[in-house]
Amino acid sequence: MAAMKFTTKSLEETKSLGRRLGSILNPGQVIALEGDLGAGKTTFTKSIALGLGVDDVVTSPTFNLINEYMGRLPVYHFDVYRLDGIDADYMGFDEYLFSDGVCIIEWADKIKELLPEDTLYIYIKKISETGREFDFKPNGKKSNEVMEVLMSC
Ligand code: ADP
Ligand code: MG
């Protein structure tokens, strides 16, 4: 499936897109989020987690590289902004990235060489104060299936 764009006009619409995405994810899905500071990566991650049935998404991983939540699947929320390239190889990320949980990674570009091939890339762009564009790029079987289901629900 080709890339797919979604536009949200408000915070509420972003949350609803995130919850919808979360509700259809399968074990082992990796989601790479890209976008400037304030684009909405953390906001979107929290809604995905809510859609996965997590009911306590209070912490933001500003000081933790990885936060773990439990929904109908384990959710691993990465924020690797502070990680420098050299560290990444030694962090044991594979344990999460190749698990049956769902990984959602802010600033994924910093660890792109560690990501599985079948990753769903989402580029978020701020187009106005409350408007955001979500550019979904599936890259593999699992990610493509998610896109197909998302389009049909
Ligand atoms: P990031 O993690 O990319 O730095 P955050 O999710 O922390 O971004 O911040 C996004 C900010 O933009 C939040 O304050 C949120 O309320 C605001 N916002 C306004 N409109 C939207 C929208 N349509 N989608 C997502 N966030 C929005
Ligand atoms: Mg953030």
Side-chain angles (χ1 to χ4, degrees):
M1 179 179 275
M4 185 72 224
K5 272 194 207 316
F6 294 87
T7 306
T8 66
K9 297 194 199 71
S10 65
L11 181 58
E12 229 7 88
E13 282 187 22
T14 291
K15 289 181 176 172
S16 139
L17 178 64
R19 284 194 304 265
R20 197 146 62 90
L21 177 60
S23 72
I24 61 168
L25 292 176
N26 299 308
Q29 182 67 55
V30 176
I31 298 179
L33 296 181
E34 300 285 351
D36 295 339
L37 204 67
K41 300 179 296 298
T42 302
T43 303
F44 195 55
T45 301
K46 288 180 176 174
S47 343
I48 295 172
L50 291 175
L52 274 157
V54 175
D55 50 28
D56 180 30
V57 209
V58 284
T59 43
S60 113
T62 310
F63 301 103
N64 299 331
L65 235 33
I66 304 178
N67 272 331
E68 216 173 308
Y69 316 116
M70 200 58 196
R72 76 180 158 78
L73 297 169
V75 184
Y76 307 113
H77 175 195
F78 293 51
D79 186 333
V80 293
Y81 183 70
R82 282 187 176 70
L83 192 68
D84 83 49
I86 317 140
D87 298 338
D89 292 341
Y90 305 100
M91 298 297 299
F93 288 158
D94 278 13
E95 193 184 315
Y96 302 98
L97 292 170
F98 297 88
S99 72
D100 282 339
V102 167
C103 289
I104 309 168
I105 307 153
E106 298 191 46
W107 304 102
D109 196 48
K110 296 219 165 197
I111 59 164
K112 59 171 180 284
E113 65 287 353
L114 301 179
L115 301 181
E117 190 177 342
D118 192 347
T119 291
L120 174 59
Y121 291 86
I122 303 178
Y123 302 84
I124 311 177
K125 207 157 72 187
K126 183 170 173 175
I127 52 175
S128 70
E129 212 41 60
T130 61
R132 300 291 187 273
E133 194 175 84
F134 292 78
D135 203 356
F136 283 57
K137 296 206 165 116
N139 192 47
K141 188 165 180 282
K142 218 182 309 220
S143 314
N144 270 295
E145 277 168 16
V146 166
M147 289 300 296
E148 270 157 34
V149 177
L150 186 65
M151 298 307 299
S152 69
C153 75

